[in-house]
Amino acid sequence: MVVVLMIAEKPSLAQSIAKILSHGKMKSRKGIAKPCHVHEYNDTFRGQPAQFRVTSVCGHVYSLDFQSQYNNWDAVDPVDLFDAEVRRKDANPDQNIYKFLKQEGHGIDYLILWLDCDREGENICFEVIDIIKPAMRNVRGDLNILRAKFSAITDKDIFRAMETLITPNKNEALSVDARQELDLRIGCAFTRFQTKFFQGRYGDLDSSLISYGPCQTPTLGFCVERHDKIKSFEPEKYWKIDVKVRYNNSTFALQWDRVRIFDKNVASMFYEDIKAVTRTRVTKITTNQKSRSRPIALNTVEMLRKASSGLNIGPHHAMAIAERLYIQGYISYPRTETTSYPQNFDFKELLGKLSPHEDLREYVKSIQKNGINNPKKGQDAGDHPPITPMKVASKAELSGDSWRLYDYIVRHFLATIMEDCRFTQTTCMVEIAKEDFTCNGIIVTSPGFLNVMNWLQQDDSQNLPNLDRGAALEIVDVKLSEHQTSPPDYLTESELITLMEKHGIGTDASIPVHINNICERNYVKITGARRLQPTQLGIVLIHGYHKIDSDLALPTMRADVEKQLNLIAMGKADFKAVVKYATDIFRNKFCYFKDSIPNMDQLFEVSFTPLAETGKPFCRCGSCSRYMKLITAKPSRLYCQTCNQTYNLPQNGTMKLYKELKCPIDNFELLLFAANTGTSKPIPLCPACFTKSPYPEMSKNMTCNHCLHPTCPHSMIQNRIIDCQVCNQGTIVLDAPSAPKWRMTCNRCKFFVPLLPNASKVYVKEDDICVCKTSLITIEFKDASPFPDGKKSRSGCLRCDDVFIKLIKMESVIEEQLSRGIPKSSNPGSHGKPSRGRGRKGGRGRGRGRGRGR
């Protein structure tokens, strides 16, 4: 029996595929990767009995980063990043995906890849191949590593994909590798330099990162360009003549053919002449049959545009909803540039599935009865079919934004195969004082597709009476009205998406990400009607780029790079040559930008406040003993004006002094940080150690519960109790700031164990470690004590001492929180290394039997 391993991109997708292919008869088991299950069933594959295993990754297995020596912002010149060696690292180390794939791939005969059918999915295919291929039983070139191509999670599509397996496309994967490497090198170099430069000079930038991105920055540039047009706009007065006439008790307005006049005297002259006339006649009547074309098939960009402008759903959120609907089988694959249905598209079958739709069933039946109109010819981009519904849903199954987006996709699909909207337009022409006027009336004769896209209903508000040439009209009102020209409004998300598509900025999948990034960086804010208004920081950045090198903010360079990446995907350009070409260009531009940064700084000087004038005195500097200022605008930090030194702080929380205690390493006052999550534990830290760790083996952002100082009463070494069994990466330490509600907490995850409340003192016994490797702890009471015989103090092991086991129940707390699953901590130092202690001074202590209390 051969073993076939099939890998999908998400756990829910793997479950859906396995359920379809096994006809619901698969058995599931947990894998060593926390989010991933393995679904197993037996069948045949290529004429042989086979055991199938279906599981998944969780997006990319690897991420790209520099070697560790290049990750120190203070020690590395950003220009070195253009030549620095890059490496792949585990994208989700906590999930054990690498080990999981290695284990499940051991000894298999076939590997079938069910990753998303776009370039990113192709790239993940080769990440999976690199891990599993060495562990396979017998690799025979392209014969037993296969790729499934599908566009929807339906029985028909999945079985068809299984019957038409192909070879993974290495060129498409390489184009993604090239984009990742270029974005990493360019983005990190510019971002590190300008973040350090400007945050070291100004205190009210209100952004944790002054980032640059080859796609992100031109996206911001479009928003600032519109802002500049608004601010530079000078309104101009103009005048219009409005006339109303009556015919057989029906009153309607006439439009002046000149539309408007910018000279008041000339407009007044026309007005006086027209006002003197009381009656006129119709000089000409024209009647035309017109139509409004139904839409072409739906692609990603149009879906995002309509979600923003029509449904008030931002593009990033809309894309997330669409992906969820796709995985649940409600719609086809939502990332596509194609607007033309394939020739073999089965409209009748899909209409049959949609016939029970609670709101649109009558229109579906009408299409089935009257026949399908041939859809308008769109563009075949050669990727995926257009976005369509795949099965009917109800408001009970989907709710909120999910239902609204699904409903729009259904209506758009139906509209593409319905009749055009047909209407009659009547134009009446009138002459008054030798000036020509017209009026139009519209009568919809056949609404066609507008029945389902009712928000686009044709305006037929002005219905003209039955008029003939020569009909007499009574002039009932003439007005001269004053107006002024108005500036354009800020870009809507829909308009920005159109500009990005037009200039080749981003892909259908990445456009929402770039828009979301400029919002999160505080470069723009979303106002009413989902318009993007640049902030002062966003405006100054773009103006600064233009002052130094306009190419950095214009879309032309990125569009050129995208063309090169497309050539890699088509096998027409070499990966290394394209990366070198783009890297060399941006290296030169970076060097010029770095030398010319004073030109941009001139704009920052007049827009933002210097560090020395920002913030309030907060705590003393360990170097000069003068008060440092706390700057609360993002990123929160401390600034010593005397030393001209800035110290990093954790973000998104509150900070206060910790009992005026000082760090024994550098004499800085300790601070207590509490994250804004509401449930987060306060964490003591030294701002100097947090900014730059005194220990080479520790990364920056070190807090006291990671500190290796052997004598400091707040360090991990002094407060370590046991290694955490929940996350298997952190250390459970005594949480001294939690007094009088004492508890132990993990310095990496959110696991905690409540200790005895209202104790007067709790401390870890130095060098006393039980044989079970748990540090002994002492708990003291001043008043009523829960200990036997009313003793005020007790020392022992929390896992072995009978009294502590009964009162604190540590093991049951661990079991309970393991069953619930403990999320990764918001602890700002939780990524530091090492997180675990190994006993004081490297030993295990003397031990005291089984840790019995005393």
Side-chain angles (χ1 to χ4, degrees), residues 294-480:
R294 58 193 178 278
I296 58 175
L298 184 65
N299 66 3
T300 305
V301 169
E302 183 64 14
M303 179 190 71
L304 297 177
R305 276 198 291 248
K306 289 297 187 288
S308 177
S309 62
L311 304 177
N312 198 31
I313 302 174
H316 194 259
H317 184 40
M319 199 69 230
I321 295 171
E323 288 177 354
R324 189 162 59 247
L325 291 172
Y326 159 68
I327 290 171
Q328 293 170 335
Y330 289 109
I331 66 172
S332 62
Y333 191 65
R335 292 196 284 268
T336 177
E337 298 176 12
T338 294
T339 55
S340 177
Y341 294 112
Q343 290 184 352
N344 61 350
F345 192 92
D346 196 335
F347 292 100
K348 291 182 178 180
E349 180 185 11
L350 183 50
L351 286 170
K353 292 179 180 178
L354 296 176
S355 58
H357 194 286
E358 56 191 87
D359 295 330
L360 302 172
R361 61 168 66 96
E362 295 303 322
Y363 299 113
V364 174
K365 289 179 181 177
S366 175
I367 298 171
Q368 291 173 320
K369 180 181 178 181
N370 299 325
I372 297 168
N373 279 280
N374 289 330
K376 289 176 62 180
K377 186 171 179 59
Q379 177 190 1
D380 184 0
D383 49 359
H384 287 274
I387 303 168
T388 61
M390 298 308 298
K391 65 180 181 181
V392 73
S394 66
K395 293 177 184 177
E397 296 173 72
L398 301 173
S399 60
D401 291 341
S402 295
W403 167 257
R404 293 166 63 223
L405 185 61
Y406 168 79
D407 185 59
Y408 166 73
I409 292 170
V410 173
R411 290 175 182 272
H412 190 107
F413 165 71
L414 294 177
T416 62
I417 54 175
M418 294 177 73
E419 291 183 347
D420 292 345
C421 169
R422 302 187 184 281
F423 58 93
T424 301
Q425 179 174 300
T426 302
T427 302
C428 169
M429 283 164 265
V430 176
E431 184 180 286
I432 307 175
K434 297 183 180 180
E435 287 297 304
D436 293 327
F437 290 81
T438 59
C439 62
N440 293 302
I442 292 174
I443 298 176
V444 176
T445 55
S446 174
F449 76 94
L450 293 184
N451 280 320
V452 293
M453 302 183 86
N454 46 24
W455 60 90
L456 298 176
Q457 286 291 358
Q458 193 74 33
D459 182 18
D460 56 358
S461 56
Q462 178 163 300
N463 292 322
L464 295 179
N466 291 325
L467 295 168
D468 295 316
R469 182 179 178 184
L473 305 176
E474 180 187 358
I475 299 174
V476 296
D477 189 28
V478 179
K479 288 183 179 179
L480 179 66

Side-chain angles (χ1 to χ4, degrees), residues 13 37-38 44 56 72 76 111 123 201 217 219 240 323 395 447 490 500 503 514 520 534 570 601 625 765 770 853:
L13 193 57
H37 284 68
V38 182
T44 59
S56 75
N72 187 331
V76 177
L111 173 63
N123 187 262
R201 297 169 69 86
T217 302
T219 301
K240 295 172 63 179
E323 288 177 354
K395 293 177 184 177
Y490 286 104
M500 294 174 72
H503 293 278
H514 302 316
E520 289 191 342
M570 293 185 287
D601 192 37
S625 298
K765 298 278 287 181
C770 178

Side-chain angles (χ1 to χ4, degrees), residues 757-771:
N758 301 317
S760 60
K761 189 176 182 181
V762 178
Y763 58 93
V764 179
K765 298 278 287 181
E766 184 175 2
D767 284 336
D768 279 359
I769 299 180
C770 178
V771 292

Side-chain angles (χ1 to χ4, degrees), residues 7 61-62 88 101-102 111-113 115 122-136 139 141-142 145-147 167-170:
I7 307 291
V61 183
Y62 295 116
R88 293 197 303 182
L101 292 177
K102 201 82 173 174
L111 173 63
I112 302 178
L113 300 153
L115 285 305
E122 216 67 32
N123 187 262
I124 301 173
C125 280
F126 283 89
E127 293 178 352
V128 173
I129 291 170
D130 289 347
I131 296 170
I132 293 179
K133 188 174 181 179
M136 292 177 67
V139 180
D142 298 333
I145 298 179
L146 303 163
R147 174 77 158 109
T167 303
N169 190 322
K170 181 66 173 176

